[in-house]
């Protein structure tokens, strides 16, 4: 993809319309050691993603309690030539509860620096392409984060920085302290979670339910060339094969509409679901979390789809379950 299509391509070596989410690699979220099967599975998933044209891989230090990065690192150790073919991003800032400490978000200098060292060690790399702060920390000190980012960048440990699950005012507060631009914001955007659209389309309309998303966040990212990435983009298969017989009527009707459009565009249902996001002028990058080889191929077909305005609105209205104001 070109820089015109995707602002993130200005900041990373490799780019693709879709991102491979690595959350389910490395086995379960437990203390079990990584197995040879886990490593083989990771090899297969990476190869399937690359064959589908996906070369950005999304991690977080908490995924499978660190094992997702660890198993990916073992693959890179066995096949070091892969590193020059891919972009690696990871997230930090979420801390699990312990016997003596509560669950919390931590943007302190010590924790960010410690997290990056852990990420690099598990992935067995010297530099991370993009580091994101995973969830907003109410105790964030922007100047402290900025100084930490600067130190990490000068040390060659991280190329670029971004955030996840932040609204525009939090981003602006942080950006004011930074000397380097935030290049990405990863949010929950999908056909089943439409707050990012409803926040704008229902603004100022009486009788509409208030939406808690973060007014202006999409526009802020577009204005400031911050790449939007969508986690949860496939709605856990809700519209692409999952049994919806017990779901609300409008969900089942939307699944049927997706199937009809897939037949019309001659692509997979996954391609229609992802194509809905990619049709938005913000040029959203969906993060896909499946490790099923056939489903990765099905998702890759999204690059072959450009939904008409009418079809996009038909999906929006159907998934919304009611008319626009």
């Amino acid at each position: 993809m070109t820089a015109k299509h995707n602002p993130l391509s200005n900041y990373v070596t490799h780019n693709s319309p879709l991102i491979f989410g690595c959350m389910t690699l490395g086995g379960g979220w437990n203390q079990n050691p990584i197995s040879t099967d886990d490593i083989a599975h990771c090899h297969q998933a990476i190869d399937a993603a690359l064959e589908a044209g996906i070369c950005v891989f999304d991690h977080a230090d908490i995924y499978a309690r660190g094992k997702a990065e660890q198993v990916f690192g073992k693959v890179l150790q066995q096949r070091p030539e892969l590193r020059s073919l891919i972009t690696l991003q990871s997230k930090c800032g979420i801390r699990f509860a312990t016997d003596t400490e509560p669950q919390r978000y931590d943007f302190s200098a010590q924790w960010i620096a410690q997290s990056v060292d852990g990420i690099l060690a598990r992935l067995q790399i010297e530099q991370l392409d993009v580091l994101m702060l995973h969830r907003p920390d109410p105790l964030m000190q922007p100047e402290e984060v900025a100084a930490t980012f600067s130190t990490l960048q000068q040390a060659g440990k991280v190329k670029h920085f971004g955030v996840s699950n932040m609204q525009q005012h939090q981003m602006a507060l942080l950006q004011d302290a930074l000397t380097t631009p935030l290049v990405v914001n990863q949010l929950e955007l999908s056909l089943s979670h439409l707050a990012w659209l409803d926040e704008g389309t229902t603004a100022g309309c009486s009788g509409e339910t208030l939406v808690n998303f973060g007014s202006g966040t999409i526009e802020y990212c577009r204005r400031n060339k911050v790449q939007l990435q969508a986690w949860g983009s496939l709605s856990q298969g809700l519209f692409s094969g999952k049994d919806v017989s017990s779901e609300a009527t409008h969900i089942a009707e939307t699944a049927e509409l997706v199937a009809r459009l897939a037949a019309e565009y001659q692509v997979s249902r996954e391609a229609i679901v992802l194509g809905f996001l990619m049709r938005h002028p913000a040029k959203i990058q969906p993060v896909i979390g499946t490790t099923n080889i056939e489903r990765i191929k099905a998702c890759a077909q999204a690059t072959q789809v450009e939904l008409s305005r009418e079809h996009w609105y038909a999906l929006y209205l159907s998934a919304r379950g009611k008319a626009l104001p």
Side-chain angles (χ1 to χ4, degrees):
M1 302 302 290
T2 65
K4 181 180 179 181
H5 178 84
N6 204 315
L8 187 58
S9 61
N10 294 328
Y11 302 102
V12 298
T13 304
H14 304 286
N15 198 24
S16 53
L18 302 176
I19 296 172
F20 186 85
C22 299
M23 186 171 66
T24 58
L25 297 178
W29 290 50
N30 51 47
Q31 301 302 322
N32 297 338
I34 291 171
S35 68
T36 54
D37 285 344
D38 293 331
I39 298 172
H41 183 220
C42 188
H43 276 285
Q44 293 168 359
I46 293 172
D47 286 340
L50 290 173
E51 288 173 11
I54 303 171
C55 53
V56 180
F57 292 82
D58 177 71
H59 286 274
D61 57 358
I62 64 168
Y63 289 169
R65 293 188 174 271
K67 292 190 295 180
E69 291 176 334
Q70 188 180 352
V71 74
F72 205 98
K74 289 186 178 298
V75 171
L76 291 179
Q77 182 184 42
Q78 295 171 9
R79 297 164 62 190
E81 70 278 5
L82 286 176
R83 183 65 186 102
S84 64
L85 303 175
I86 63 177
T87 289
L88 287 173
Q89 59 182 42
S90 192
K91 299 177 284 293
C92 72
I94 295 178
R95 301 187 66 170
F96 294 121
T98 67
D99 291 339
T100 59
E101 298 174 326
Q103 174 198 7
R104 60 203 185 277
Y105 306 142
D106 191 343
F107 289 178
S108 66
Q110 179 182 358
W111 184 251
I112 293 174
Q114 177 181 327
S115 298
V116 169
D117 286 342
I119 290 167
L120 295 177
R122 287 187 294 272
L123 289 173
Q124 301 194 46
I125 59 175
E126 295 182 355
Q127 186 180 61
L128 187 65
D129 294 306
V130 183
L131 174 71
M132 287 180 278
L133 301 176
H134 207 155
R135 285 192 177 274
D137 174 12
L139 300 182
M140 176 183 74
Q141 295 283 359
E143 294 76 16
E144 181 180 8
V145 174
T148 307
F149 280 4
S150 180
T151 299
L152 290 170
Q153 202 167 45
Q154 290 173 14
K157 293 182 178 182
V158 181
K159 280 186 183 179
H160 306 289
F161 301 93
V163 296
S164 181
N165 302 300
M166 276 198 188
Q167 39 97 321
Q168 64 151 330
H169 302 295
Q170 295 165 325
M171 294 180 69
L173 177 65
L174 178 57
Q175 186 63 74
D176 282 347
L178 297 175
T179 58
T180 186
L182 295 171
V183 301
V184 64
N185 189 7
Q186 192 175 112
L187 302 166
E188 184 175 18
L189 313 171
S190 72
L191 192 55
S192 59
H193 289 80
L194 295 168
W196 59 286
L197 289 174
D198 286 342
E199 188 74 57
T201 56
T202 64
C205 297
S206 62
E208 287 290 324
T209 303
L210 292 176
V211 179
N212 179 25
F213 176 76
S215 181
T217 298
I218 302 298
E219 292 77 11
Y220 176 91
C221 291
R222 291 178 67 185
R223 289 178 57 213
N224 290 279
K225 301 293 187 274
V226 177
Q227 175 62 54
L228 283 164
Q229 296 178 354
W231 66 267
S233 60
L234 286 167
S235 299
Q236 297 183 320
L238 193 62
F239 306 113
S240 54
K242 187 176 181 179
D243 181 9
V244 293
S245 58
S246 61
E247 300 287 344
T249 300
H250 74 280
I251 296 296
E253 291 175 346
T254 304
E256 292 177 3
L257 175 58
V258 168
R260 291 199 302 273
L261 291 176
E264 181 171 341
Y265 284 87
Q266 297 184 330
V267 294
S268 65
R269 288 175 291 181
E270 288 88 349
I272 298 298
V273 173
L274 298 177
F276 174 78
L277 293 172
M278 295 165 70
R279 176 64 173 81
H280 192 277
K283 306 300 181 185
I284 296 164
Q285 270 184 315
V287 180
I288 62 169
T290 180
T291 57
N292 179 286
I293 306 303
E294 292 306 313
R295 200 165 185 225
I296 292 172
K297 294 178 181 178
C299 290
Q301 293 179 24
T303 60
Q304 304 168 23
V305 177
E306 183 167 352
L307 293 170
S308 69
R309 177 178 285 267
E310 292 74 21
H311 286 156
W312 188 89
Y313 267 99
L315 285 166
Y316 178 28
L317 287 170
S318 181
R320 193 170 186 268
K322 60 179 180 178
L324 291 170

